[in-house]
């Protein structure tokens, strides 16, 4: 049964300029699905921060993020909810049992006995080494994201945040790009038990391939990713002409961009594409992956964005007043990632923050200016206005098929 009780998925055919919508849409006013509670759930515990600190690809980032949010006094405005580890049943709602079993066994191996992680099997090698405890880490991150999704389903809040989630590359039976468990997919599957249409938006520098793969054949989840797309750049997928398959055709949206893009052009693309997607698709819930590796100053050195630019994108999504799950992702400059997610957390709370970084444990990360804002670099922008216009036109034509 699909979430809305229908037996089969509709084919999503027809055009955006719809004739009379199926009568159930007429009967379910939009306000019905958005919850009335304007609390903001923030999934947090010290143990969770410690776990992420030690095992994430960027050691120490989790406590820097949490430390800055706390230093600005935002934690007392948030509804803090403790995470619990995802169960095997929850993990295998997307991942294969073989993969999860392997991850659990390999993670339990002591260092010396390690003889299995060189196998390519399950993608557990180079980029995704099997570190002791990686299973507990992945299960806790997935559990944290599921906890946030559950709060949205229960109407506890309208926005729920897990900055330590957003691991969008993990596949059904393969780790990838340092992602072991695909927590965005697990959250979307959980949200689908309550909402018949979920929109996933991925603003990480990298293409959200694992989430796109999971839902490429269904019209019940629309995945929309803005990312760098260039020869040889990881993961290599996310071409503008990849629009999904079968019943999912046109419900996969890819917005391929080049190095050097800045806030104004990025927002212009985002606003045109995402606004059309929302008005055509009319989702009932949103999952937004806000990986910060596109920030100016990130060691990835590709995009040239600032938290202000991404904040304008977030404002568009928050204006829809839909149940919204915010996740993190990449972000390899610890200070800038903390700056970005702190600024976005304040925005969700409707709080404006002083530019001076408050004195706190991680204060030294923010030198030499010790300011919250990030100034864009003066690097070459390879996104000509003609290129951006062409991208918008192609994406817009595809979206016109969405009903
Ligand atoms: O950010 C990612 C994953 C990036 C990635 C993909 C494939 C293999 C390795 C990685 N991770 C990095 O490239 C990486 C991880 C930590 C730090 C850095 C740094 F060099 F940019 F700092 C880079 N997805 O949104
Ligand atoms: Zn990334």
């Amino acid at each position: 049964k699909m979430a809305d009780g229908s037996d089969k998925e509709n084919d999503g055919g027809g055009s955006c300029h719809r004739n009379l919508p199926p009568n159930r849409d007429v009967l379910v006013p939009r306000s019905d699905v958005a919850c009335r509670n304007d609390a903001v759930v923030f999934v947090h515990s010290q143990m969770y921060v410690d776990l992420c600190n030690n095992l994430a690809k960027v050691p120490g980032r989790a406590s820097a993020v949490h430390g800055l949010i706390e230093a600005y006094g935002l934690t007392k405005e948030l509804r803090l909810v403790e995470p619990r580890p995802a169960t095997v049943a929850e993990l295998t709602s997307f991942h294969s049992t073989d993969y999860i079993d392997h991850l659990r066994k390999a993670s339990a191996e002591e260092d010396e006995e390690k003889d299995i992680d060189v196998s390519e099997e399950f993608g557990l090698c180079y980029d995704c080494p099997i570190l002791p405890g990686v299973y507990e880490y992945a299960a806790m991150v997935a559990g944290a994201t599921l906890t946030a999704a559950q709060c949205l389903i229960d109407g506890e809040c309208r926005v729920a945040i897990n900055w330590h989630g957003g691991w969008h590359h993990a596949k059904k039976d393969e780790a990838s790009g340092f992602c072991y468990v695909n927590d965005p997919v697990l959250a979307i599957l959980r949200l689908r038990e309550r909402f018949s249409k979920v929109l996933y938006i991925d603003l990480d520098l990298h293409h959200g391939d694992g989430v796109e793969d999971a839902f490429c054949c269904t019209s019940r989840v629309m995945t929309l990713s803005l990312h760098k797309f260039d020869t040889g750049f990881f993961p290599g997928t996310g071409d503008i002409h990849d629009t999904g398959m079968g019943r999912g055709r046109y419900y996969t949206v890819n917005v391929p961009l080049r190095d050097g893009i800045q806030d104004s052009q990025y927002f212009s693309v985002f606003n045109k594409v995402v606004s059309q997607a929302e008005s055509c698709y009319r989702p009932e819930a949103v999952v937004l992956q806000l990986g910060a590796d596109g920030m100016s100053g990130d060691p990835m050195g590709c995009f040239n964005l600032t938290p202000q630019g991404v904040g304008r994108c977030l404002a568009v999504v928050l204006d829809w007043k839909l149940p919204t799950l915010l996740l993190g992702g990449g972000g390899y400059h610890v200070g800038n990632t903390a700056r970005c997610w702190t600024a976005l957390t304040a925005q969700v709370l409707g709080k404006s923050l002083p530019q001076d970084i408050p004195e706190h444990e991680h204060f030294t990360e923010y030198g030499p200016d010790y300011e919250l804002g990030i100034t864009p670099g003066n690097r070459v922008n390879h996104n000509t206005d003609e290129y951006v216009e062409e991208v918008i036109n192609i994406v817009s034509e595809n979206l016109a098929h969405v009903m």
Side-chain angles (χ1 to χ4, degrees):
K1 276 265 183 221
M2 301 314 296
D4 56 0
S6 65
D7 281 326
K8 62 176 191 49
E9 300 180 344
N10 73 21
D11 63 0
S15 92
C16 199
H17 319 291
R18 61 175 80 224
N19 36 43
L20 193 66
N23 61 15
R24 65 177 171 284
D25 284 4
V26 178
L27 298 179
V28 180
R30 289 274 292 261
S31 60
D32 178 84
V33 289
C35 77
R36 286 150 290 281
N37 184 333
D38 63 357
V40 177
V41 160
F42 188 83
V43 183
H44 168 70
S45 74
Q46 195 47 52
M47 184 264 284
Y48 180 43
V49 169
D50 295 345
L51 206 50
C52 294
N53 246 2
N54 302 325
L55 274 161
K57 185 85 178 180
V58 196
R61 191 183 81 172
S63 54
V65 168
H66 186 73
L68 192 60
I69 287 170
E70 197 168 52
Y72 269 110
L74 297 177
T75 32
K76 54 181 186 298
E77 314 279 339
L78 296 161
R79 174 179 293 189
L80 300 185
V81 173
E82 287 219 355
R84 46 132 191 97
T87 62
V88 171
E90 286 169 328
L91 295 172
T92 52
S93 69
F94 169 59
H95 294 288
S96 71
T97 307
D98 286 353
Y99 171 60
I100 294 301
D101 281 352
H102 185 89
L103 193 63
R104 204 164 28 148
K105 290 196 183 75
S107 164
E109 299 283 318
E110 287 314 309
D111 247 346
E112 46 283 359
E113 298 153 39
K114 223 172 11 182
D115 59 357
I116 28 90
D117 76 331
V118 289
S119 72
E120 290 279 319
E121 202 193 12
F122 299 117
L124 295 170
C125 55
Y126 320 109
D127 297 337
C128 309
I130 280 287
L131 310 167
V134 70
Y135 177 82
E136 286 68 25
Y137 160 65
M140 189 57 88
V141 168
T145 294
L146 284 167
T147 299
Q150 194 60 50
C151 291
L152 292 171
I153 290 170
D154 299 343
E156 296 285 318
C157 60
R158 181 181 290 141
V159 179
I161 303 173
N162 176 23
W163 291 127
H164 312 304
W167 304 111
H168 56 172
H169 296 309
K171 307 295 186 310
K172 171 179 159 60
D173 39 25
E174 183 184 338
S176 168
F178 205 70
C179 304
Y180 296 89
V181 167
N182 198 311
D183 62 293
V185 168
L186 298 180
I188 291 166
L189 290 171
R190 174 67 59 87
L191 289 167
R192 278 276 294 121
E193 291 168 10
R194 166 76 177 71
F195 303 107
S196 67
K197 288 184 282 183
V198 178
L199 173 60
Y200 172 74
I201 300 172
D202 191 310
L203 300 188
D204 192 285
L205 172 69
H206 301 88
H207 174 231
D209 56 343
V211 188
E212 177 180 294
D213 289 358
F215 301 110
C216 62
C217 302
T218 176
S219 61
R220 293 293 161 191
V221 177
M222 174 179 277
T223 61
L224 192 161
S225 177
L226 279 70
H227 49 269
K228 171 174 174 173
F229 185 71
D230 238 330
T231 17
F233 186 73
F234 183 89
T237 48
D239 180 296
I240 197 165
H241 301 298
D242 291 347
T243 57
M245 295 179 282
R247 282 198 291 248
R249 187 148 183 243
Y250 303 117
Y251 292 84
T252 291
V253 182
N254 280 304
V255 183
L257 300 167
R258 310 293 195 220
D259 276 347
I261 196 161
Q262 296 205 25
D263 288 344
S264 55
Q265 217 177 21
Y266 189 88
F267 176 73
S268 155
V269 175
F270 175 92
N271 193 27
K272 291 200 177 87
V273 167
V274 168
S275 299
Q276 185 185 352
E278 197 278 337
S279 65
C280 281
Y281 186 56
R282 292 182 52 214
E284 295 171 7
V286 183
V287 176
L288 181 52
Q289 198 269 19
L290 289 158
D293 41 7
M295 289 292 119
S296 162
D298 194 277
M300 285 284 172
C302 300
F303 284 2
N304 199 1
L305 304 173
T306 75
Q308 256 178 311
V310 175
R312 292 178 66 199
C313 300
L314 174 60
V316 169
V317 175
L318 294 178
D319 275 352
W320 301 336
K321 304 275 184 253
L322 293 174
T324 303
L325 172 58
L326 303 186
L327 300 173
Y332 303 102
H333 183 296
V334 172
N336 284 0
T337 302
R339 285 181 168 97
C340 183
W341 294 343
T342 299
L344 297 181
T345 303
Q347 181 180 334
V348 172
L349 289 166
K351 299 272 170 198
S352 64
L353 299 180
Q355 273 306 305
D356 290 341
I357 300 287
E359 230 333 298
H360 70 296
E361 184 187 345
H362 305 268
F363 186 71
T364 50
E365 295 277 350
Y366 302 92
D369 52 3
Y370 301 99
E371 283 187 357
L372 180 63
I374 298 175
T375 42
N378 53 6
R379 284 193 286 107
V380 175
N381 176 13
H382 295 271
N383 300 273
T384 61
D385 287 340
E386 295 70 33
Y387 173 77
V388 164
E389 199 178 327
E390 177 64 3
V391 163
I392 291 169
N393 288 342
I394 295 171
V395 168
S396 182
E397 277 162 24
N398 288 330
L399 277 173
H401 295 87
V402 169
M403 172 193 116

